Amino acid sequence: MRYRTIGDGRSSFDVSTLCLGTMFMGTRTDEATSFAILDRFVEAGGTFIDTANNYNAWIGGYGRDSEDVIGRWLASRGIRDELKLATKLGAAKKDPALPLSNTPPTNYQGLSAEVIDREAHESLRHLGVDHIDVLYGHVDDRDTALAETVGAFGALQAEGVVGITGISNVAVWRVVEAREEAIRQGIAPYGLVQQQYSFVHPAPKIGRLNYVTPELLDYADSTGVDGRPPLAVAAYSPLHQGALTRTDKPLFGGIDHPTTHARIRLLHEVARDVGATPNQVALAWLLGAEVPVIPVVGASSMAQLEEILGAAELDLGADVRERLDAEGVEQLVA
């Protein structure tokens, strides 16, 4: 395992460069298997674990299933101080009687000061911890003033129950404005942005704001200097939920276009040439990029976890990266 430092200009700590996503723990992944995956991740040197307060409410869970599994696992292992925990808030149902919706009229709790304070303290209780290392706003909330949202995160930091704050599923300009607002308020700005990102990219579309963009990476790369506190980028669904290797998995979110199919073919060719799996190459491509990101990768079996761990120290040579990043990849569809 390898490690990197994340921070916000005031707080900083090291995390494993692979972050274990736990979305299905407690629902699709039973508790015994979840415990085994968590144990093996830590045994392999993993220190960064990611969850949320609303996972799998859409498939019969109650939202905090994975937080509760992690809480019980932590209580039984006694290794809280060895780990960095991230959770998210703001995307649970505002009205429990209505379906969760990300299109107007949305049914998200949002990022008001009241929601942030209440839901953060509920996460502390479900995780069984006295502090959360990274707390994200799960989905940007344009109906609440940025000053209120940013100030509420800062209040949790001042209370000592949150380390670094972050935001997910957000436009780049909103990240910049939120960080500037934090500086105006004299509090630490967001230190992490978590967006969807993988070796395949969606077709451009106005309003598609949940993907990592070159602009976001360029902005993150410009930080960590005087007057510009650091900002790291984390990537969810870096394996596109299995679609890089399984034809029965859908290419969702604007990904299903000819260039994607060409890139997946290329990914498989490169994997054969370097003696790794396509998933391992896809993760190594993210980890070793010019602006590296932190993949948030879930596993529902030990076999899946072992494959993921195999990418932690896989270095792609310059010639391999050039091949994967070739400007003319889209011409392969011809």
Side-chain angles (χ1 to χ4, degrees):
M1 189 63 69
R2 291 171 178 168
Y3 305 88
R4 62 175 292 181
T5 301
I6 60 174
D8 58 15
R10 299 190 182 185
S11 300
S12 66
F13 45 76
D14 290 344
V15 295
S16 53
T17 52
L18 287 177
C19 179
L20 181 65
T22 62
M23 177 185 288
F24 295 124
M25 291 186 178
T27 48
R28 292 180 180 175
T29 306
D30 64 68
E31 187 154 316
T33 303
S34 299
F35 276 33
I37 289 170
L38 288 161
D39 285 340
R40 175 65 183 121
F41 181 68
V42 171
E43 179 186 52
T47 63
F48 202 10
I49 297 173
D50 183 273
T51 184
N53 73 342
N54 74 326
Y55 278 156
N56 290 329
W58 52 90
I59 62 165
Y62 53 86
R64 294 188 184 271
D65 309 74
S66 58
E67 283 190 339
D68 285 339
V69 167
I70 292 169
R72 288 190 288 271
W73 173 74
L74 284 172
S76 68
R77 300 304 191 261
I79 57 172
R80 169 64 183 97
D81 291 343
E82 299 173 25
L83 303 173
K84 301 303 177 187
L85 300 179
T87 193
K88 311 176 196 73
L89 52 77
K93 290 182 180 182
K94 182 177 182 179
D95 183 345
L98 297 176
L100 191 67
S101 175
N102 61 0
T103 57
T106 61
N107 190 27
Y108 288 146
Q109 288 179 330
L111 298 176
S112 69
E114 178 187 3
V115 166
I116 290 170
D117 182 73
R118 182 186 70 237
E119 295 300 309
H121 284 91
E122 272 296 291
S123 287
L124 290 170
R125 186 173 69 84
H126 283 263
L127 289 165
V129 299
D130 61 7
H131 70 283
I132 298 164
D133 299 294
V134 175
L135 181 65
Y136 294 98
H138 205 159
V139 178
D140 188 25
D141 176 9
R142 296 195 185 185
D143 293 328
T144 300
L146 269 177
E148 179 179 345
T149 296
V150 168
F153 280 119
L156 291 171
Q157 290 174 308
E159 186 184 343
V161 298
V162 169
I164 296 171
T165 62
I167 188 68
S168 183
N169 300 303
V170 63
V172 177
W173 68 268
R174 293 277 290 177
V175 177
V176 176
E177 289 200 355
R179 281 166 53 88
E180 291 297 319
E181 175 60 29
I183 291 171
R184 284 192 292 271
Q185 292 190 28
I187 60 180
Y190 293 146
L192 274 165
V193 176
Q194 186 175 142
Q195 301 279 87
Q196 188 170 342
Y197 192 37
S198 75
F199 183 66
V200 293
H201 314 297
K205 179 182 178 183
I206 296 217
R208 184 171 284 142
L209 304 174
N210 59 316
Y211 280 83
V212 169
T213 63
E215 184 181 16
L216 175 61
L217 293 174
D218 186 55
Y219 175 59
D221 192 41
S222 75
T223 66
V225 297
D226 287 345
R228 194 183 291 267
L231 178 72
V233 177
Y236 70 85
S237 296
L239 302 179
H240 210 72
Q241 298 183 10
L244 299 183
T245 57
R246 291 176 52 178
T247 57
D248 62 316
K249 292 287 188 176
L251 293 165
F252 58 90
I255 294 287
D256 194 359
H257 52 76
T259 299
T260 287
H261 296 281
R263 287 180 70 81
I264 290 176
R265 288 196 298 271
L266 176 62
L267 180 68
H268 284 246
E269 292 170 7
V270 169
R272 285 193 296 270
D273 291 346
V274 303
T277 70
N279 283 336
Q280 288 170 340
V281 172
L283 291 174
W285 179 81
L286 292 170
L287 290 166
E290 182 178 353
V291 183
V293 304
I294 301 170
V296 181
V297 198
S300 58
S301 69
M302 294 300 290
Q304 289 179 358
L305 179 64
E306 292 299 339
E307 181 183 22
I308 290 165
L309 292 173
E313 298 186 18
L314 175 61
D315 292 317
L316 302 177
D319 57 333
V320 174
R321 295 200 68 90
E322 183 177 358
R323 185 177 169 193
L324 290 169
D325 293 335
E327 294 283 351
V329 168
E330 57 272 11
Q331 297 174 8
L332 296 173
V333 301

